[in-house]
Amino acid sequence: MVRIALDPTPYHHDHGLLDFPDIAARLGYDHLQLTPHADFGPFFRYPKADDALVAALRKRVADAGITIPALLPVQRVSSPEEPQREAAVRNFSRIIHLAVELGVDTLNTEFSGRPERSEDSEAAFYRSMETLLPLAEREGVRINFDPHPDDFVEDGLEAWRIIRGLNSSSVGFVYVASHTFHYGDRAATLLPEIGARLGAVYAADTFDHHRSHGLRYISNPPGNAARVHQHLAIGDGDVDWSGLFATLGRTGFLDREDAIVVSNVFAEDERADEVSRFQLDRLRELVDAGRAAASGEGAGAGA
């Protein structure tokens, strides 16, 4: 069944990298998604982990009795600036090797291009994947992409088309619930189309910035290109959680052993333990409800 993992970002500032496995276990999680950290794989920089640190991390994971099912690297693999793109490919290649050393077979990431240069960024993405995809396929690593707000592609359907164009089962989609309203708010139709290529779902809530005739948020000067979203606890925003997990149940995602749901609330670091435990309990409820809804629909169809 689907694995529920903790994103340890709220603990990055007060704890070291090797503390994260114990934190996840203490909070009741069986799984941890390792996010960009200065000691391992920082944002947009070359990874800083050596063999000794990888070995120490593997031991802490084993001692805590948890697993790391995925890493989350963020590198500018779709940068329209060639020096940045070349550096990102070099950095990402090292991350793939680190994942293999850790026994991790999944990388959840972002396109990391620029919306004002979408055509150039898309071309850069495919150019980078000419190098990264053969490496990932050879090493047995799957790479899943999230069309993050302020990326060269933000619409969920268009992002799926770009991923599909690679024609490889080693590349999939990350559905981030707190990006739902930037994706086009179309989970009920998008996720069935993605099907088995959906690799991970991130669970945090957000407000729908389209509501109130576009005045849900006001940023100045008017008409600026800022993207606003939150990573709130489930239930504190506008995401349709029942609908999302019913769809995940219908597509079979919740029954897959390779599927990952990641709790990634960033808005309440001062209550990180409380919120992380709440998220785990709520996600277990949503998984059970989504599976039950799918089972009920199947029974009705066969009656």
Side-chain angles (χ1 to χ4, degrees), residues 31-52:
H31 309 286
L32 171 75
Q33 173 166 273
L34 193 59
T35 44
H37 188 276
D39 287 330
F40 192 87
F43 282 98
F44 311 129
R45 306 287 292 277
Y46 192 80
K48 301 305 189 289
D50 61 5
D51 290 346

Side-chain angles (χ1 to χ4, degrees), residues 236-252:
D236 287 350
D238 297 323
V239 173
D240 178 4
W241 292 99
S242 295
L244 174 59
F245 274 80
T247 300
L248 293 172
R250 285 194 298 272
T251 62

